[in-house]
Amino acid sequence: MLLTGQATSQLGAQVSGVAVPLLAVVSLGATPFQVGMLGAASTIAFATIGLPAGAWIDRMRRRPILVASDLTRAILLATIPAAAVLGLLTMAQLVVVSLLTGFARVFFDVGYRSYLPSVIGRDRVLAGNSSLEFVRASGQVAGPAIGGVLVSLIGAATVVLVQAATFVVSALCLVGIRAVEPRPETPTNRRRIPAEIAEGFGFVLRSPALRATATASALSNFSFAMASAVNIVFLSRTLELTPTLIGIVIAVGSVTVMVGAAFTTRLARAVGSVRIVWLSLAVTAPISLASAFAQPGWWTLLVVVGIAAGEFGQIVYAITQLSIRQQLCPDRILGRVNATFQVVVMGLFPVGAIVGGALGDLIGARWTIVAAGVPLLICPFVLWSALRGVRDVHELQETGS
């Protein structure tokens, strides 16, 4: 049921991931800076409530939190097509909805990463994360193409309804999970929220492996945020692609995401579940820069190559580093550790989105994408410095890393 819910939710997320920026760019005439502000609004919640959310999640059962997060996002997104029908839709509303759905997303993202081990067991988290990422990748492949086509047929505002409906389906699937989630232990002397936050943050800082993956993930997300601020502008205005072709280009390039998710477990066994973390980015990050050199016509295929390489490396990296975290961290503070990662990683997203939008206005979309590739190239070196010589998770556990 968890996989079914995630499949539906991720398909809708990818559909609206095309629809909302296109709605801003095509229907409301948004500038690159405004698109960047839209991206910043959707992620600023991680920096503001991420750490307290982790502490609260560790105090409660996680499934009810996930259900409430899904239903909240469904209601908020439904206001977009309603406003469009009434002729009242503005950039301000898109920003506010993105901001509020971002708050709900914080609780969902931290909660489901902490909920998974209690559903399938810690010894199966690598396979479980691979399955969930394969599901997400499936939505990433089909979603943009479907979204692009639907935007052309029925309009971007209406397409957002798809996302709202999928969140409802996801909530229903979560309710149907039969695995019993144990009640969190209630300490005799519960500490205050700041002290509990500090415990989770300190756990990450003391572990070289977690500290390095948090840093690399933050740099990678900053890079992604910069590029996201101008990607739709680059594809639509620089490469002169229609909404349908934009969806297809993203989808075709993302087919390798499914391959990466499907084979991550095998790659981890062959190369090492720790070694693959830095190696996946070292191989694919340079190739991902090919997108920036695409031109109208057949050279648009460079976008496909760049997206394919980048997404393949990111999927393998995301699955393996998350699995390491879930295995190294005790369950009682897993929510706080996941929240610490989310704050560190997503806290830079608004900054990256604004920087990307500003650079897009200043130097153009193409050179902004080039600049966004620099932080991504640094990531493998950060990871290698902490993980070199280590092959598998049990070696990290033995050394206390």
Side-chain angles (χ1 to χ4, degrees):
M1 293 298 288
L2 182 60
L3 284 175
T4 303
Q6 283 296 291
T8 309
S9 178
Q10 289 298 330
L11 177 62
Q14 294 301 322
V15 169
S16 69
V18 173
V20 173
L22 278 174
L23 182 62
V25 172
V26 177
S27 300
L28 300 178
T31 66
F33 181 75
Q34 287 176 316
V35 177
M37 288 295 295
L38 192 62
S42 67
T43 55
I44 197 170
F46 286 96
T48 55
I49 67 162
L51 292 175
W56 292 325
I57 286 170
D58 277 341
R59 292 182 173 188
M60 298 177 282
R61 285 195 172 102
R62 282 126 188 188
R63 182 169 62 171
I65 297 173
L66 302 181
V67 172
S69 299
D70 273 340
L71 295 179
T72 299
R73 288 184 286 180
I75 293 170
L76 289 168
L77 286 170
T79 67
I80 292 177
V85 168
L86 297 173
L88 302 175
L89 186 64
T90 63
M91 274 298 300
Q93 180 180 350
L94 290 183
V95 171
V96 170
V97 169
S98 295
L99 178 67
L100 295 178
T101 54
F103 277 89
R105 179 188 169 188
V106 169
F107 283 92
F108 188 91
D109 284 6
V110 175
Y112 108 82
R113 287 178 172 85
S114 307
Y115 180 51
L116 181 66
S118 66
V119 176
I120 64 174
R122 287 178 178 271
D123 57 332
R124 299 177 60 195
V125 292
L126 180 58
N129 286 323
S130 296
S131 297
L132 286 173
E133 288 299 326
F134 181 83
V135 165
R136 186 187 73 85
S138 301
Q140 192 173 34
V141 170
I146 295 172
V149 172
L150 289 178
V151 166
S152 298
L153 292 176
I154 62 177
T158 306
V159 173
V160 178
L161 274 177
V162 175
Q163 171 68 8
T166 56
F167 280 133
V168 174
V169 173
S170 176
L172 293 174
C173 290
L174 286 165
V175 171
I177 294 176
R178 296 183 178 180
V180 178
E181 183 182 5
R183 183 184 296 275
E185 296 181 6
T186 303
T188 53
N189 296 315
R190 186 183 293 279
R191 293 172 297 171
R192 294 183 177 182
I193 290 292
E196 294 187 354
I197 291 173
E199 184 181 9
F201 196 81
F203 188 89
V204 174
L205 287 180
R206 290 191 299 271
S207 168
L210 297 184
R211 190 169 63 243
T213 53
T215 302
S217 297
L219 288 172
S220 176
N221 218 39
F222 182 79
S223 172
F224 176 76
M226 286 181 62
S228 293
V230 297
N231 273 341
I232 295 296
V233 175
F234 180 65
L235 295 173
S236 177
R237 297 175 183 171
T238 304
L239 300 185
E240 302 173 354
L241 300 180
T242 65
T244 299
L245 284 177
I246 289 173
I248 292 174
V249 164
I250 296 173
V252 171
S254 299
V255 168
T256 52
V257 178
M258 295 179 63
V259 178
F263 284 91
T264 293
T265 302
R266 297 182 185 180
L267 288 172
R269 289 172 182 167
V271 178
S273 59
V274 172
R275 186 179 297 158
I276 193 65
V277 171
W278 63 265
L279 192 60
S280 60
L281 296 185
V283 173
T284 59
I287 304 174
S288 67
L289 288 177
S291 297
F293 302 100
Q295 299 289 342
W298 285 106
W299 286 104
T300 298
L301 290 175
L302 284 177
V303 171
V304 177
V305 173
I307 290 175
E311 292 287 359
F312 182 92
Q314 286 296 324
I315 280 291
V316 175
Y317 169 75
I319 293 171
T320 50
Q321 66 89 17
L322 173 58
S323 301
I324 289 173
R325 188 194 322 161
Q326 290 169 330
Q327 290 174 290
L328 291 179
C329 180
D331 185 69
R332 67 179 184 82
I333 62 169
L334 184 55
R336 281 165 283 169
V337 169
N338 283 328
T340 299
F341 264 76
Q342 290 293 82
V343 169
V344 171
V345 172
M346 298 302 295
L348 284 179
F349 196 100
V351 179
I354 293 172
V355 169
L359 285 178
D361 284 342
L362 184 65
I363 63 177
R366 185 186 304 279
W367 288 107
T368 300
I369 293 174
V370 173
V374 175
L376 192 60
L377 295 175
I378 298 173
C379 293
F381 297 99
V382 172
L383 294 165
W384 179 81
S385 65
L387 302 176
R388 64 181 182 274
V390 180
R391 175 183 170 86
D392 296 307
V393 175
H394 68 85
E395 296 180 25
L396 288 177
Q397 292 170 329
E398 290 173 357
T399 59
S401 299

